[in-house]
Amino acid sequence: MPKINGNEIRPGNVLEHEGGLWAAVKVDHVKPGKGGAFAQVEMRNLRNGSKLNERFRSADKVEKVRLEQKDQQFLYESDGMLVFMDAETFDQIELPAELLGERRPFLQDGMTIVVEFYEEEALNASLPQKVVCQVAETEPVVKGQTAANSFKPAILDNGVKVVFIAVMVLVNYFLVITWFPACLCAYERYWRVSKDFNYCGLGGLPTKPPP
């Protein structure tokens, strides 16, 4: 594994440190009035989720780990474990459901996600940036309200509550959910249920919105 200097650590880097694998979450480069510069690094353990704040001097050497990314298709969940299959080799792996955290409700049957491996060990999983969900519950449209200036809460078919959506969205409407770093999700567009609705599956988006 290649080694980098402490001042070369960047957010997103995966490091081998003190016998563990750590993802650099936040990096602050500090130049004190006295003494040498250093990097204050907030790290998350990829195996158990624990956090660590560590100081690396410019002259310190740390091993940078490269993770291999593979597409995995979600099959089912059993006893808190998510079962995935490699579409090329058909090998199956299990990941703890807690690995996805608040993203778990958006994992859909047959969805293809990206799993990061260190050698043969699965460490992290990423869902598609866009996921299609259906509105299960919401308030009826009140006379006089318009989509331009009114919002209301809704509950999606996966149980997640979307705090504000366009007022014209009704039960059984579909939403395209887009991930943002600052919040769980936000809708991108919506449309009514239609018999012509063509959903391509595997976590993909509709190939053709209904009229």
Side-chain angles (χ1 to χ4, degrees):
M1 289 179 288
K3 291 189 176 183
I4 60 175
N5 295 327
N7 61 352
E8 296 178 310
I9 299 174
R10 298 291 184 269
N13 288 166
V14 177
L15 311 173
E16 186 173 45
H17 179 65
E18 296 184 349
L21 291 177
W22 303 83
V25 177
K26 182 180 180 181
V27 181
D28 291 322
H29 294 278
V30 181
K31 294 183 178 180
K34 294 182 179 180
F38 62 89
Q40 189 69 39
V41 183
E42 179 182 329
M43 302 185 292
R44 179 178 62 85
N45 191 295
L46 293 178
R47 291 190 173 103
N48 58 32
S50 62
K51 293 184 178 181
L52 176 68
N53 279 284
E54 195 71 273
R55 178 180 296 186
F56 294 93
R57 297 173 301 171
S58 300
D60 289 339
K61 295 288 186 179
V62 61
E63 292 185 341
K64 181 180 177 181
V65 176
R66 185 179 298 276
L67 301 181
E68 182 181 6
Q69 295 184 338
K70 295 182 180 180
D71 290 341
Q72 300 283 328
Q73 183 181 358
F74 176 56
L75 299 180
Y76 60 90
E77 180 177 357
S78 177
D79 297 327
M81 300 299 291
L82 307 175
V83 180
F84 296 89
M85 180 182 69
D86 188 306
E88 294 183 359
T89 65
F90 302 107
D91 293 335
Q92 295 186 12
I93 62 170
E94 292 186 349
L95 295 175
E98 62 186 19
L99 183 67
L100 295 180
E102 63 186 7
R103 300 168 297 168
R104 171 61 186 95
F106 292 92
L107 179 65
Q108 301 168 347
D109 291 343
M111 176 180 284
T112 297
I113 71 171
V114 176
V115 178
E116 293 183 314
F117 290 84
Y118 174 63
E119 296 178 349
E120 298 298 322
E121 181 183 5
L123 293 174
N124 194 22
S126 300
L127 269 62
Q129 187 179 12
K130 298 178 186 293
V131 180
V132 175
C133 295
Q134 193 170 10
V135 176
E137 299 179 27
T138 191
E139 300 170 358
V141 176
V142 177
K143 185 176 181 180
Q145 288 183 318
T146 66
N149 58 13
S150 299
F151 298 88
K152 61 181 179 179
I155 298 177
L156 305 179
D157 55 354
N158 57 13
V160 174
K161 185 175 182 179
V162 180
V163 179
F164 297 107
I165 62 174
V167 68
M168 301 306 294
V169 173
L170 301 176
V171 172
N172 292 330
Y173 274 44
F174 285 90
L175 304 180
V176 176
I177 304 299
T178 302
W179 300 105
F180 289 94
C183 60
L184 176 61
C185 60
Y187 78 92
E188 177 179 289
R189 62 180 183 272
Y190 63 88
W191 54 86
R192 294 188 299 272
V193 175
S194 167
K195 64 181 180 180
D196 297 324
F197 181 70
N198 185 11
Y199 182 66
C200 61
L202 299 182
L205 298 180
T207 56
K208 182 183 66 174

